[in-house]
Amino acid sequence: ISNFTFKVFVDSKQNIWVATQLGISCFDGKKFTNFPIKSITQSSLTNAFVEDKEGSIWFNYFGGELYKIKNLKLQKVILPNPTAGFVTTLTKDSQNNIFIAVWKKGIWKFSNNSWQKVQSVNELDSESHFVRRIFFDRKQNFWLLTNHKTFRNNQIFLENDHTCINQDLNDNIWLGSTKGVLKITEDGKTTFFNAQN
């Protein structure tokens, strides 16, 4: 639908989902299906896709909107108060519960067809903090990457901000930032990589 792409996701059926400036494209190996989205604001980009247990694809888009594509039909997810707001990112846990971060309103979990607020740090209810990533590692530690700090299980883990996180096959955690990459082993040993090393 557009050449300006900023997120790619592969679902359980090996379909490739691409977030673009003009909407979402899905490639099934033979053809593209496009889902145009008209957004009033364009202040952020899609940074997360999630597939739920029914095979629906959830994603955040542009001005903090939350969408899902179910049976190849695009649906805007209307968040009830007090959940409603600017969705900055989303993920799911090992039980397939969907978690969203809502700017100034904390972390919310979608379970049994309703939203419940997750106990999280007070900073997430302030205007200055927004969550870039939510991540569950294999031990189900709950990571939050904000524009100021990095949290693990609602405690400050690092005083600086990170933009991305992943876990390798040896259970090392990797945190990316604008200054380089930090590797954290299970026993807490850290190694920092940047252009110099």
Side-chain angles (χ1 to χ4, degrees), residues 32-49:
F32 280 94
T33 303
N34 295 319
F35 302 91
I37 300 174
K38 290 182 180 172
S39 182
I40 297 168
T41 60
Q42 297 186 359
S43 55
S44 70
L45 308 175
T46 298
N47 70 5
F49 280 101

Side-chain angles (χ1 to χ4, degrees), residues 106-169:
I107 309 297
W108 295 79
K109 176 172 84 167
F110 188 70
S111 179
N112 299 320
N113 290 318
S114 67
W115 293 100
Q116 297 134 24
K117 189 161 187 182
V118 175
Q119 278 301 109
S120 61
V121 290
N122 291 335
E123 284 101 326
L124 302 186
D125 292 328
S126 77
E127 194 166 302
S128 62
H129 276 71
F130 68 89
V131 178
R132 291 179 169 148
R133 296 285 184 275
I134 307 169
F135 182 76
F136 289 92
D137 64 25
R138 288 190 194 94
K139 291 186 174 177
Q140 292 305 295
N141 290 307
F142 181 61
W143 296 78
L144 296 173
L145 278 56
T146 79
N147 59 320
H148 290 295
K149 298 174 184 172
T150 300
F151 298 88
R152 185 176 70 178
N153 299 326
N154 297 329
Q155 302 294 320
I156 296 172
F157 185 76
L158 293 167
E159 286 285 347
N160 45 358
D161 64 320
H162 292 91
T163 57
C164 53
I165 182 171
N166 219 323
Q167 187 171 29
D168 66 22
L169 295 175

Side-chain angles (χ1 to χ4, degrees), residues 8 15 19 27 30 40 47 77 84 86-87 111 115 149 159 192:
V8 177
N15 297 310
F27 183 62
K30 295 178 182 174
I40 297 168
N47 70 5
V77 178
F86 190 106
V87 178
S111 179
W115 293 100
K149 298 174 184 172
E159 286 285 347
F192 184 72

